[in-house]
Amino acid sequence: MRLCQFDDGKLGLIEGDMVRDVSAALATLPASAYPFPRHDVLIENLAAVRAEIDALPAVDAMPLSSVRLQSPVRNAGKLVAAPVNYQAHLDEAVADEATFSRAHVRKIQETGLFLKATSSLIGMGSAIEIRHPDRRTDHEIELAVIIGRTGRDISVNRAREYVAGYSIGLDITIRGPEERSLRKSLDTYSVLGPALVTADEIPDPSGLELLLTVDGVVRQRANTRDLIMTVDDLIAFASSFYTLYPGDVLYTGTPEGVGPIMPGETIEASIEKVGAISVAVVAA
Ligand code: MN
């Protein structure tokens, strides 16, 4: 199932290039009151929502291009991200010391993970707003994993049981010496979309082709089989430091080919079995 969020708080079921409004299924969610849950209640109750969607009377589909897509996760508790997690990207970063701060270019096993601010999260219906045009700002395509269950100290062998689904993530990044959490947390610098593709549609997230173009020019083309730490490794590693909650998003790291983006350009990104997104880049 491919679930999206669109316009103002609507839930959509994507079928090809069409979408059906299945917002009525949200009525199955439990009521909440202050203090509100800090995780995503829709993702937490995904099984019940899916059953409700299946039981809904058929509604007309509309073209996906006619709606404004939001992030498929609206209440992410945290955005966990892997730094350099493809060997070829590590190699290109080591070779370009002028752009990539030496202090930040190490193997992921030494660097660990970092967090991006949840306030940076947008869907593909919003534009990436370049906040500091004097600084080099790069695209990074990444397979994004959406956590479905609460867990800590999750074993590698059972990691997949904690995955609600997958999405395309863009980890937009200012290059420079500051902490990653600062350079990658600007408003609009975490893109997620077009949908949450439920885990049953992608039994194995290794071996997926990734492609990113800027104004039609291929910048990144890679395959998740070349991840240094796999999806399972990353879930186990992250959960050995902090509890993972439904709706937490794990950006699994970008492959080689990162490069600058400028206002006026359009990023198109696709991941095999996950979908495709097109996002505009504008001046803030
Ligand atoms: Mn990244």
Side-chain angles (χ1 to χ4, degrees), residues 2-15 18-27 49 52-64 66-67 69:
R2 311 172 88 83
L3 293 171
C4 69
Q5 311 254 347
F6 67 98
D7 296 347
D8 196 13
K10 291 180 177 161
L11 179 66
L13 178 64
I14 297 178
E15 294 162 343
M18 304 292 279
V19 60
R20 294 180 198 276
D21 185 343
V22 292
S23 304
L26 295 173
V49 171
E52 197 70 18
I53 290 172
D54 287 337
L56 287 177
V59 294
D60 288 343
M62 48 197 156
L64 194 52
S66 69
V67 305
L69 285 173

Side-chain angles (χ1 to χ4, degrees), residues 16 29 54 70 74 85 100 146 179 216 233 242-243 251 259 269 278:
L29 296 180
D54 287 337
Q70 308 271 12
R74 299 302 298 278
N85 196 21
F100 297 85
I146 297 158
E179 294 285 347
D233 293 336
Y242 31 62
T243 301
Y251 284 72
S278 176

Side-chain angles (χ1 to χ4, degrees), residues 117-196:
T118 52
S119 51
S120 66
L121 185 60
I122 59 168
M124 60 178 270
S126 303
I128 296 165
E129 300 177 5
I130 302 297
R131 183 77 168 269
H132 291 287
D134 54 318
R135 302 280 302 270
R136 174 171 158 176
T137 302
D138 280 8
H139 55 77
E140 296 189 353
I141 184 177
E142 315 199 357
L143 175 67
V145 180
I146 297 158
I147 299 297
R149 291 169 51 196
T150 300
R152 53 180 288 177
D153 292 327
I154 300 165
S155 69
V156 170
N157 290 342
R158 304 196 63 172
R160 216 71 65 75
E161 298 171 24
Y162 291 80
V163 176
Y166 301 91
S167 197
I168 301 172
L170 299 181
D171 173 20
I172 306 301
T173 302
I174 293 180
R175 296 297 169 203
E178 301 96 336
E179 294 285 347
R180 283 185 171 91
S181 63
L182 181 71
R183 294 183 288 107
K184 293 167 171 277
S185 286
L186 291 82
D187 296 351
T188 74
Y189 278 27
S190 301
V191 184
L192 200 65
L196 182 164

Side-chain angles (χ1 to χ4, degrees), residues 82-86 89-90 93 104-108 180 228 254:
V84 185
N85 196 21
Y86 288 81
H89 178 45
L90 177 61
H104 292 284
V105 180
R106 287 178 293 153
K107 287 198 171 71
I108 182 172
R180 283 185 171 91
I228 295 170
T254 200

